[in-house]
Amino acid sequence: MSLPAASLPETFSAAAVLPPSREAVETVTRALAARFGNRLVTSLAVRQQHGHTLTWIPNQAPDAVVFPQSTEEVSEIVRLCAAHGVPVIAFGTGTSLEGHVNAPFGGVCIDMSQMKRIVAVHAEDLDVVVEAGVTRKELNEHLRDQGLMFPIDPGADASIGGMAATRASGTNAVRYGTMKDNVLALKAVMADGSIVQSSTRARKTSAGYDLTRLLVGSEGTLGIITEVTLKLHGIPEAIAAGVCPFPSVKAACDATILTIQTGLPVARIELLDDVMIRGVNLHAKLGLPETTMLFVEFHGTEAGVAEQSERFGEIAAEYGGGPFEWATKAEDRSKLWQARHDAYWAAKALRPGFDSVATDVCVPISRLAECVEETKRDIEESGLIAPIAGHVGDGNFHTQPLVDLNDKAEVERVQAFIDRLVKRALAMGGTCTGEHGVGQKKIKYLEQEHGPEAVAVMRTIKRALDPQNILNPGKIVVL
Amino acid sequence: MSLPAASLPETFSAAAVLPPSREAVETVTRALAARFGNRLVTSLAVRQQHGHTLTWIPNQAPDAVVFPQSTEEVSEIVRLCAAHGVPVIAFGTGTSLEGHVNAPFGGVCIDMSQMKRIVAVHAEDLDVVVEAGVTRKELNEHLRDQGLMFPIDPGADASIGGMAATRASGTNAVRYGTMKDNVLALKAVMADGSIVQSSTRARKTSAGYDLTRLLVGSEGTLGIITEVTLKLHGIPEAIAAGVCPFPSVKAACDATILTIQTGLPVARIELLDDVMIRGVNLHAKLGLPETTMLFVEFHGTEAGVAEQSERFGEIAAEYGGGPFEWATKAEDRSKLWQARHDAYWAAKALRPGFDSVATDVCVPISRLAECVEETKRDIEESGLIAPIAGHVGDGNFHTQPLVDLNDKAEVERVQAFIDRLVKRALAMGGTCTGEHGVGQKKIKYLEQEHGPEAVAVMRTIKRALDPQNILNPGKIVVL
């Protein structure tokens, strides 16, 4: 299952991070055990469970896992770790894909799963304050009775803290934005243990540096997010969703591009290629035609949704798409979107027993058709099985090669494919990751994307805010 | 016109910033003159014009003003200033309101007005790349033929660079967001002269720290923005706009709150109180009833706009508002919004010959009615003339006391009023500035709003990215 430890990202510099001494780790662990009792766990199983998530990086277990129940407790833990130079890794649900929560230098994993309070729902202001451990589904469950929803939906039922830390998005981003657009404020514990409230509940502010947006997407390397204030949205009066087959990836992308360009306020527009549809059919026992499909959804008033659906139908027909199949019943819609959200697992159904390497890029939408088509050709030419699914309204798509991690040549072929995918996206004015984040696996692309000057600025910020490099070391930037 | 120099904000610490020596300034000025010829200006008139903008802070002129024509030239200037420890202040159109561009420690003002290239319009991606000196009206003029628009509209015809630097917004923010939501990427010159491209044209990214959002709103203190990539929007197929009188501020606020809470996608919803309407009538020669008014606008399809207008009419009637007067012709709409945008000047018509002190706060919308009402009462009790106008869909409103700056007691009364206004907004979970920024005048409120820990983080970032404190020193954070 695991790559040998020798394949640690080559970008790690031994000099940059000092792994803590055995004594430091033991001192910290003893002190945490005394303070937190059975909320401090050092069993191998639990440590490994926290050190190997949905990534092909080898298991890198922390030395201990602690389960705080308040921001103040997180602060205590960080202070203790800071005093002894021991790394601290925040952990939500462990569903990140690029090695975000692995502990390459050991240290203390802070599992936020016992911080699940919904602190306050301000229905009249359309916002909510939650602790970091609340998951998106738990939050929506809580909100439903009040006619409210939180739309950001990565495939997994991730924690809100983790979603903020990785700048997550999902199928609704084309309409509702990403975490960067939906986090109003954060509470975070900084590297010295100080507790920072990044902003207020005001919808707009120009009161100083945007600490909220600096922390969103910082992957636990600048501060540990303990509480999040989120924008909410009313559950739409009317929802229309459906699936539409297309003769080719290009036709589906072109229909998407026109939809966005004409300003049709589509809430979701998801592409699944023929390979992914085959996986979805296998996994979710659906009988979809095995061709490129768009899954779409419209939110609005009854009249608005009808108007939007009709317009989209015309656009699809222009590119040879159709017939459109509408899921009018709520449970049919749920089944459809559950199938989409389970794409990660559906993909694995295509090559049972193998591992998968999920990755994503995002390009300006005018280049989307070209980028997806070239990528499909590349997959074929590389002899890989790699379904494609994408939040194509944003120009963002995923691919997920299924790989035998024990086959070194295949692993190399996958890595070379991802390198080419990123290079292709960057050449088209895109980014090396639209929503998965950097973690460990995409560090090496940051300079290609941003240039050395911008990465130097990131490094300066990291050094200034975490001079000891104890917050999730070895992720995003290498010191 | 000017306050005595002795009234410099008390928060300035003499030790924090070393004003450059005379020699340093002269060396830099000579070198710039040699390099830039008549694009380096040292005449008193021009320096003063750049050192005193729409604020009641005394004129604080830079030592020289230089007019670069490219990012590389800005980099050259910053490198030179950095080598000699001379402050650099970026200048757009000089329409900021809190002393953002004054030069309390002298130095070199970089006037961006010769950087007006529209680098690339990507109509198919709905984005545009512009140099920092392009103003919002110039941009929209350029875009109109292509059916595109850039909706962010502070009152002034500000430069895009300045709007990004101050996280500006305006009347359309309730629908289209602020600069933070509409800047995709920036090019900026950092304190060491290095040129950073903060991101790509991709709609979404999770590739590292959000340098874009860190620079947006940093008011030239972390880097000098030279180029901006902006999201664009299609000019709506249909626009409906109109004005609606209300019996009280509370009624108008309550109608606004319900509009937002029901998810009506209003594009603009602006409150002008009776005092401001009197000013608008005087300034724009309109004959509006002198009571609280809402100016609203809807964007969408013909059918969508009709539906939204009808719903809004119902909401307004619920609070005793009406009759609604629709401006169906484009020129009537333009006149209406020009009158709104000219509110700053309209306010001054209420007390001709006096100065005005524009300030803003923003609160969660559930507290808006209460905050505006209390503020109106406070204005009356303070014996001030201070009209109120607001982007109330965001909970953001402005007031603009008209003041005799030679009357020390009145100045103190205004300052005490603003202190109370900010305290009131903060107590309601709001911010000390929704869109005007910090500049010099709001530095003292930042700790009240964010707490000392968050301000310490801002200071750490500033120190790390500008260790010499040469970028717009004395703004946002005091070192």
Side-chain angles (χ1 to χ4, degrees), chain A residues 100 165-166 215 217-223 436-439 472 475-476, chain B residues 206 208:
Chain A
H100 295 69
T166 53
L215 286 165
S218 66
E219 302 183 5
T221 66
L222 300 180
H436 288 185
V438 178
N472 207 6
K475 318 298 167 66
I476 298 188
Chain B
S206 49

Side-chain angles (χ1 to χ4, degrees), chain A residues 124-125 167 169 204-209 213 221 237 261 301 307 311 365-366 396 430-431 433 435 437 450, chain B residues 124-125 167 169 200 204-209 213 221 237 261 301 307 311 365-366 396 431 433 435 437 450:
Chain A
E124 67 287 14
D125 291 316
R167 204 181 295 127
S169 48
K204 276 174 26 179
T205 179
S206 49
Y209 303 149
R213 247 65 45 187
T221 66
E237 184 183 313
Q261 284 172 0
T301 61
E307 191 183 16
R311 284 196 175 201
I365 198 161
S366 65
N396 178 209
T431 173
T433 172
E435 57 177 25
H450 296 293
Chain B
E124 68 286 15
D125 291 317
R167 204 181 294 129
S169 49
T200 71
K204 276 174 26 180
T205 179
S206 49
Y209 303 150
R213 249 61 48 183
T221 66
E237 182 183 313
Q261 284 172 359
T301 61
E307 191 184 15
R311 284 196 177 202
I365 199 163
S366 64
N396 178 210
T431 174
T433 172
E435 58 177 26
H450 297 293

Side-chain angles (χ1 to χ4, degrees), chain B residues 28-344:
Chain B
V28 164
T29 309
R30 258 199 313 273
L32 289 174
R35 168 67 180 80
F36 292 99
N38 61 8
R39 288 196 280 132
L40 189 274
V41 182
T42 53
S43 78
L44 185 64
V46 169
R47 291 193 294 113
Q48 285 194 334
Q49 183 197 330
H50 286 78
H52 182 55
T53 53
L54 306 174
T55 162
W56 59 342
I57 296 176
N59 197 315
Q60 298 164 312
D63 295 297
V65 182
V66 62
F67 296 80
Q69 294 173 341
S70 69
T71 298
E72 289 65 33
E73 287 190 356
V74 174
S75 168
E76 257 188 81
I77 296 162
V78 172
R79 262 177 232 278
L80 182 68
C81 288
H84 297 276
V86 169
V88 203
I89 301 111
F91 185 99
T93 58
T95 49
S96 59
L97 294 162
E98 298 289 357
H100 295 69
V101 295
N102 294 35
F105 308 102
V108 174
C109 173
I110 303 189
D111 184 312
M112 306 298 283
S113 62
Q114 293 188 21
M115 289 186 62
K116 284 205 182 282
R117 276 198 318 144
I118 292 179
V119 181
V121 180
H122 303 107
E124 68 286 15
D125 291 317
L126 298 171
D127 72 54
V128 65
V129 184
V130 301
E131 286 186 339
V134 173
T135 72
R136 66 175 182 87
K137 286 188 183 172
E138 288 165 355
L139 175 59
N140 277 310
E141 199 61 52
H142 186 92
L143 295 171
R144 190 164 302 131
D145 287 351
Q146 297 176 71
L148 297 170
M149 67 172 190
F150 177 66
I152 315 300
D153 64 338
D157 185 20
S159 68
I160 298 297
M163 287 168 63
T166 54
R167 204 181 294 129
S169 49
T171 67
N172 284 303
V174 63
R175 169 78 174 254
Y176 298 96
T178 73
M179 286 303 275
K180 122 181 117 51
D181 307 298
N182 284 280
V183 174
L184 280 172
L186 294 167
K187 194 176 275 182
V189 174
M190 309 306 285
D192 62 355
S194 67
I195 298 170
V196 160
Q197 176 69 32
S198 70
S199 194
T200 71
R201 294 200 299 116
R203 283 275 146 163
K204 276 174 26 180
T205 179
S206 49
Y209 303 150
D210 192 344
L211 300 185
T212 309
R213 249 61 48 183
L214 182 63
L215 286 165
V216 168
S218 66
E219 302 182 5
T221 66
L222 301 181
I224 295 180
I225 296 168
T226 58
E227 203 176 278
V228 189
T229 305
L230 296 166
K231 283 189 200 171
L232 298 177
H233 300 266
I235 294 176
E237 182 183 313
I239 298 176
V243 294
C244 185
F246 282 84
S248 66
V249 159
K250 178 157 172 39
C253 287
D254 285 340
T256 305
I257 293 170
L258 191 58
T259 302
I260 299 302
Q261 284 172 359
T262 56
L264 204 58
V266 63
R268 291 165 148 168
I269 184 160
E270 297 284 307
L271 179 144
L272 289 82
D273 78 348
D274 53 336
V275 185
M276 185 58 96
I277 293 288
R278 196 157 66 242
V280 166
N281 279 342
L282 285 168
H283 180 78
K285 317 253 177 298
L286 295 178
L288 297 167
E290 291 184 6
T291 178
T292 307
M293 303 281 276
L294 287 181
F295 286 30
V296 297
E297 189 164 282
F298 298 100
H299 295 174
T301 61
E302 289 290 352
V305 159
E307 191 184 15
Q308 291 167 38
S309 305
E310 197 188 313
R311 284 196 177 202
F312 179 76
E314 288 161 15
I315 290 171
E318 231 176 275
Y319 294 98
F324 215 103
E325 201 178 312
W326 292 101
T328 41
K329 280 189 280 183
E331 59 262 41
D332 291 345
R333 277 206 309 274
S334 291
K335 200 172 168 195
L336 199 67
W337 291 116
Q338 194 56 50
R340 169 62 190 93
H341 276 130
D342 289 345
Y344 179 85

Side-chain angles (χ1 to χ4, degrees), chain A residues 133-177:
Chain A
V134 173
T135 72
R136 66 177 181 87
K137 286 188 183 171
E138 288 165 354
L139 175 58
N140 278 311
E141 200 59 51
H142 186 93
L143 295 170
R144 191 163 301 131
D145 287 351
Q146 296 176 71
L148 297 171
M149 66 172 190
F150 176 66
I152 314 302
D153 63 339
D157 185 21
S159 68
I160 299 296
M163 287 168 62
T166 53
R167 204 181 295 127
S169 48
T171 66
N172 284 303
V174 62
R175 168 78 173 255
Y176 297 96

Side-chain angles (χ1 to χ4, degrees), chain A residues 172-216:
Chain A
N172 284 303
V174 62
R175 168 78 173 255
Y176 297 96
T178 74
M179 287 303 276
K180 120 180 118 48
D181 307 298
N182 285 279
V183 174
L184 280 171
L186 294 167
K187 192 177 278 182
V189 174
M190 308 306 286
D192 62 355
S194 67
I195 298 169
V196 160
Q197 176 69 32
S198 70
S199 193
T200 72
R201 294 200 299 115
R203 283 275 146 164
K204 276 174 26 179
T205 179
S206 49
Y209 303 149
D210 192 343
L211 299 185
T212 309
R213 247 65 45 187
L214 182 62
L215 286 165
V216 168

